[in-house]
Amino acid sequence: MKEKPKTENISGTVEHIIFTNPENGYAVIRIETGDGEPITVVGILGERRPGEYLKLEGFWKTDPRWGRQFKVENFELAEPETAGSLERYLASDMVPGIGSEMARRLVEHFGNKVMSIIREHPDRLREVPGIGPKRSKDIIAAVAGEDREKRILRELSTRLMDFGIGPARIRKIFLSYGDAALDILQRDPYRLAKEIGGFGFIIADKIARKMKIPADSESRIKAGILYALDRANDEGHCFLPQEELLDRAVDLLGVSRENTALALQSLCDSNVLQVDDSGVYNTRFFAAEVNVAERINAILTSRGSPLKKEIVIKKIAEQQKRMKIEFTSEQSAAVFKILCDKPVLALTGGPGTGKTTIVRAAAQIARDFDISVALCAPTGRAANRLSEATGLPACTVHRLLEYSPQNGFTRRATNPLRARFIVVDEMSMVDIALFSALLSAVRPGTRLLLVGDADQLPSVGPGQVLHDIINSGAIPVVRLTQIHRQAARSRIVREAHNILHGRMPILKNEPKADFFFLRKENPENGLETIVDLVSHRLPEHYNFDPKKDIQVIVPMYRGICGANALNEALQRKLNPGEKIEPFDFRPGDKVMQTRNNYDINVFNGDIGIITEINPEEKRMVVDFGFPIAYSPEDAGELTIAYAVSVHKSQGSEMPCVVMPLYTEHYMLLRRHLLYTAVTRAKKLCVLIGQPKALGIAVRRAADDKRYTDLAKKIRKLSKTYPKFPGFKG
């Protein structure tokens, strides 16, 4: 048995911060002990600052790469004790306004008693040459301010450490509330959930229970209602009917319905929430629905410069020659309608129906008329696909609107887009907030083409914008139904349409087909088969790169054949090795970006391969088709991506898709989810699992109704109600 290292105690002044993780408090710092060279200290140290004096308990260890280090087990923030440490402390940013020369004079004059002199006998400061009344006052205030901050942070840490709240968030509380932080924490911890990012109702509620705040307090009930509505927004709802919101809040809080209804009324009266005939909204999403309806009506009723129909017909013929294809009558009619009908039009259809061909033709003809064209999509992958398919530049909606984290969307009503023909692809992925932002930047007289497969999964965020626009009856809709000859030869396309119409795919496998179902009743066998397919069989037979060309898509994260277990197994097979600190990855890992990062031009859903990890420079390089360097902090935006969820796969296409289907995924076995996954495959789709699970997915149409009111709002404002095909009531 390995002997535990001997525990030692050391103390010193923080000289340099090498690395810190604000989420878990892990840090690597350099400490000056006064006994020679500074030492490296590692461990859970929180957010330290140069100049702080620490008393540390831990043990020495030798890292094979970094050499001798002191591993901290316990520490405390203390008062400097030696003349040297006192001088460094007073000269540091910890006590602003003193500086190195004055710190030297103070310590030289008062020695180790300098801190007690400042606190208890401040009048003696003027004994030091160069310190007058004003300088004396500044020094006293600086030390008092540092003392107060230390005390508050120490008290906050003591009260919050049991809730897993790290140093970075504790400092965030102090910076937000200052001297009032402890009082607010004691009286109303629910303010943390409402006012400070990174805190939720669940943590605030745990803190409140420890603080003995009554379960039926008004602040708790209001926070619970807001949390229940936020959860509904996370599920895709724009609002909840009032009775359902009350049901959810009462179940969550365990309080009376009467008190909950009173708190809800108060939130609505103070405009924290918005209520109308349909239900209760987060004000942001109510405003977004109203804005979308008003903007669509403004575009529909605006007077643009109509294109001459006979010239458009001629241009359609020219475009066919340019593209070296012959349009079907359905395609020609669609291009004509896009350019000559109402200025807002929805184009929808399944795989193989020619949506991209129509977009390319319409955009090119618009350019022939000297109309400025902008093509966009909700994700970077979808924008790249659109650009490759049309041969025209395309970008994300956020990029089109010139978004930045600091300033939000630069393009808005007061600074509209210059383009007069805007195409939005993958509209099923666009949520109500993003579409509202886009329409705010569109000038009346602009043509807007909304393209998407209405049968795919709706957006991750609130709303079902494409579905509601089509069902509004106020906007012309082109539904493509004809599968083109080349696409019809693909079993992927045929089986996708079978699934869409509730028909079971043909389970008999053909050697040269591009769609297979492998029956594996046991999920453990299914996992082993998937690992074997991805690592050996498919690369050997089809010459696929197992990381770049094959994507495992799963219904859910948990379970034997969920994303978590598959990622672990595939990483172990495809990329064995050790993680390299301070990163949580290995060189060669397949990773996905989980949020838009405009500083490095990488977007939510982008997938790449780690090509380099340099621990000395704390730099990791990911190849997304172009190299991007990550710091340890930015790397928190990445996740392993050998297997991803169906929602995360939206907007992309891969040469090969492998998907497990088991009854352990029962809650998410839905027709639209299966259809979306299958239509991600360009060359090969392999389903693995139980025929029973496949049958459940095919039979179960989406029953997860979303509460949205956009269609009704559009109809109410539209003067054409109800005129266009696609109206369903």
Side-chain angles (χ1 to χ4, degrees):
M1 185 174 176
K2 194 173 180 180
E3 187 178 345
K4 188 179 185 299
K6 180 184 176 184
T7 299
E8 294 186 28
N9 294 286
I10 63 172
S11 59
T13 304
V14 178
E15 180 191 66
H16 178 58
I17 310 298
I18 297 173
F19 168 76
T20 184
N21 183 329
E23 294 304 315
N24 60 19
Y26 181 84
V28 181
I29 64 176
R30 297 280 281 173
I31 292 285
E32 175 61 65
T33 64
D35 295 331
E37 288 292 313
I39 64 171
T40 301
V41 176
V42 301
I44 305 301
L45 290 158
E47 192 177 298
R48 303 274 54 87
R49 292 190 285 173
E52 288 182 330
Y53 190 79
L54 304 179
K55 289 186 176 180
L56 309 161
E57 181 183 288
F59 57 88
W60 291 99
K61 69 170 191 172
T62 301
D63 185 278
R65 184 185 294 268
W66 305 111
R68 197 164 185 250
Q69 300 174 332
F70 191 78
K71 177 71 170 67
V72 173
E73 293 182 313
N74 294 295
F75 79 97
E76 67 172 291
L77 195 57
E79 192 96 296
E81 296 171 341
T82 66
S85 62
L86 281 164
E87 186 176 323
R88 285 190 295 273
Y89 172 72
L90 289 170
S92 73
D93 291 338
M94 299 291 296
V95 191
I98 292 181
S100 56
E101 176 57 27
M102 186 55 67
R104 184 189 63 78
R105 289 191 209 169
L106 285 164
V107 174
E108 191 175 84
H109 188 83
F110 295 116
N112 292 357
K113 296 180 179 179
V114 63
M115 297 307 295
S116 63
I117 295 293
I118 294 172
R119 292 189 184 106
E120 298 168 20
H121 306 285
D123 53 304
R124 291 191 58 192
L125 288 174
R126 295 175 66 179
E127 296 174 10
V128 179
I131 296 182
K134 184 179 184 306
R135 193 67 181 271
S136 173
K137 187 177 180 181
D138 290 344
I139 292 171
I140 295 164
V143 171
E146 173 63 11
D147 288 346
R148 185 182 70 254
E149 180 176 336
K150 280 182 187 174
R151 179 183 61 79
I152 295 172
L153 287 172
R154 186 163 51 245
E155 186 67 24
L156 286 171
S157 297
T158 301
R159 297 190 188 193
L160 298 176
M161 63 189 301
D162 292 340
F163 302 104
I165 297 173
R169 287 197 288 174
I170 288 171
R171 180 165 288 279
K172 204 171 184 181
I173 295 171
F174 176 76
L175 293 175
S176 297
Y177 299 131
D179 293 352
L182 291 169
D183 182 55
I184 289 170
L185 189 68
Q186 182 72 44
R187 289 189 299 105
D188 189 6
Y190 297 103
R191 285 183 60 179
L192 301 181
K194 186 168 60 175
E195 299 170 355
I196 301 180
F199 289 89
F201 171 79
I202 299 300
I203 289 178
D205 203 37
K206 288 178 181 177
I207 296 169
R209 284 202 296 271
K210 188 173 181 180
M211 302 297 176
K212 309 296 184 191
I213 291 175
D216 60 354
S217 72
E218 185 180 24
S219 62
R220 178 174 186 264
I221 297 174
K222 285 182 176 180
I225 291 170
L226 294 174
Y227 175 70
L229 191 54
D230 284 343
R231 289 287 300 272
N233 295 149
D234 291 342
E235 295 164 13
H237 302 297
C238 288
F239 68 89
L240 281 181
Q242 185 166 325
E243 292 305 310
E244 184 168 337
L245 177 55
L246 287 172
D247 287 342
R248 291 192 182 203
V250 168
D251 288 345
L252 171 71
L253 298 166
V255 297
S256 75
R257 193 177 188 85
E258 181 183 3
N259 286 348
T260 308
L262 289 171
L264 175 58
Q265 186 62 53
S266 176
L267 288 168
C268 295
D269 290 344
S270 57
N271 294 321
V272 174
L273 298 178
Q274 185 75 42
V275 64
D276 72 359
D277 294 343
S278 298
V280 182
Y281 284 82
N282 176 311
T283 52
R284 178 189 176 205
F285 300 123
F286 180 81
E289 280 197 347
V290 170
N291 185 59
V292 167
E294 291 177 347
R295 294 278 174 179
I296 283 179
N297 186 58
I299 297 170
L300 283 171
T301 56
S302 62
R303 294 185 178 181
S305 301
L307 301 178
K308 292 185 178 179
K309 295 181 179 180
E310 59 275 13
I311 299 179
V312 171
I313 292 171
K314 182 181 176 183
K315 288 286 184 183
I316 291 172
E318 291 175 1
Q319 189 62 28
Q320 293 179 74
K321 293 178 183 177
R322 190 185 300 173
M323 296 171 67
K324 296 179 181 179
I325 59 173
E326 183 177 348
F327 294 168
T328 64
S329 57
E330 184 181 59
Q331 288 177 316
S332 295
V335 175
F336 180 82
K337 198 166 188 177
I338 288 166
L339 296 169
C340 297
D341 207 325
K342 292 288 182 179
V344 183
L345 184 138
L347 174 67
T348 184
T353 55
K355 295 190 298 295
T356 303
T357 299
I358 292 167
V359 170
R360 180 182 172 190
Q364 192 57 60
I365 292 171
R367 286 160 65 101
D368 290 346
F369 279 101
D370 292 325
I371 297 171
S372 54
V373 176
L375 276 63
C376 64
T379 69
R381 289 173 300 161
N384 290 336
R385 278 183 52 218
L386 181 60
S387 181
E388 290 167 6
T390 61
L392 297 171
C395 64
T396 64
V397 178
H398 281 77
R399 180 67 68 190
L400 181 68
L401 298 178
E402 299 175 20
Y403 175 85
S404 73
Q406 296 77 25
N407 304 313
F409 295 111
T410 302
R411 293 292 180 178
R412 50 176 75 99
T414 54
N415 182 30
L417 294 164
R418 296 188 181 92
R420 303 312 299 246
F421 180 50
I422 298 173
V423 178
V424 187
D425 197 16
E426 294 289 352
M427 263 300 297
S428 63
M429 298 175 65
V430 177
D431 64 33
I432 189 66
L434 182 58
F435 195 53
S436 175
L438 174 62
L439 290 187
S440 292
V442 174
R443 291 182 289 180
T446 300
R447 279 196 175 274
L448 191 61
L449 175 59
L450 310 175
V451 185
D453 187 342
D455 295 307
Q456 285 190 17
L457 291 173
S459 58
V460 175
Q464 47 186 14
V465 177
L466 181 60
H467 177 273
D468 287 348
I469 283 173
I470 290 171
N471 279 357
S472 72
I475 293 165
V477 178
V478 173
R479 286 185 178 273
L480 302 174
T481 57
Q482 184 175 342
I483 302 173
H484 294 278
R485 191 178 306 158
Q486 185 175 356
R489 290 197 289 267
S490 165
R491 270 198 68 190
I492 293 173
V493 173
R494 296 203 307 272
E495 300 299 6
H497 283 272
N498 279 334
I499 291 165
L500 182 60
H501 293 95
R503 298 188 293 264
M504 275 288 284
I506 298 169
L507 301 188
K508 182 180 178 182
N509 294 323
E510 302 164 0
K512 294 185 179 180
D514 58 2
F515 181 95
F516 293 89
F517 180 84
L518 303 184
R519 182 171 184 159
K520 298 289 176 183
E521 292 288 346
N522 188 301
E524 286 87 353
N525 292 342
L527 186 144
E528 292 173 3
T529 301
I530 290 170
V531 171
D532 186 45
L533 281 169
V534 174
S535 60
H536 295 300
R537 290 163 61 183
L538 296 176
E540 289 170 6
H541 191 80
Y542 295 94
N543 200 31
F544 288 143
D545 184 301
K547 295 180 187 176
K548 295 180 179 178
D549 296 332
I550 303 172
Q551 184 61 61
V552 178
I553 298 178
V554 297
M556 60 195 300
Y557 284 91
R558 295 188 301 275
I560 296 167
C561 271
N564 296 334
L566 280 163
N567 270 319
E568 185 177 329
L570 288 165
Q571 184 189 46
R572 192 163 51 244
K573 185 69 175 179
L574 297 175
N575 197 35
E578 297 296 325
K579 297 174 183 178
I580 298 179
E581 291 187 359
F583 296 93
D584 199 29
F585 301 101
R586 308 167 183 175
D589 268 340
K590 181 176 183 176
V591 293
M592 175 185 281
Q593 179 78 10
T594 59
R595 61 178 290 271
N596 294 332
N597 189 324
Y598 297 92
D599 294 328
I600 58 176
N601 202 35
V602 182
F603 304 96
N604 186 9
D606 286 350
I607 292 178
I609 307 294
I610 296 173
T611 57
E612 176 191 346
I613 297 180
N614 187 323
E616 289 89 355
E617 298 179 9
K618 293 181 176 48
R619 182 171 61 94
M620 182 173 78
V621 179
V622 182
D623 180 14
F624 290 102
F626 48 89
I628 293 293
Y630 282 80
S631 67
E633 291 79 12
D634 286 338
E637 299 174 357
L638 295 170
T639 187
I640 293 294
Y642 299 97
V644 301
S645 69
V646 180
H647 261 119
K648 284 292 186 183
S649 74
Q650 274 190 281
S652 63
E653 284 185 343
M654 306 89 176
C656 176
V657 165
V658 176
M659 184 182 193
L661 286 168
Y662 286 94
T663 52
E664 70 171 2
H665 304 142
Y666 182 81
M667 292 299 294
L668 290 176
L669 291 177
R670 297 283 192 277
R671 184 184 304 167
H672 290 324
L673 185 138
L674 176 60
Y675 171 78
T676 300
V678 169
T679 54
R680 300 308 91 205
K682 288 195 291 186
K683 295 181 180 179
L684 182 67
C685 179
V686 182
L687 304 182
I688 297 168
Q690 302 158 334
K692 179 181 178 181
L694 175 61
I696 291 169
V698 170
R699 289 191 300 272
R700 290 171 77 190
D703 58 2
D704 47 351
K705 169 181 166 56
R706 289 192 170 191
Y707 290 115
T708 70
D709 214 21
L710 179 61
K712 189 169 82 173
K713 286 181 171 71
I714 293 173
R715 285 198 295 269
K716 188 175 179 180
L717 288 174
S718 174
K719 294 173 182 171
T720 58
Y721 165 84
K723 177 180 177 182
F724 297 109
F727 174 63
K728 295 182 180 178

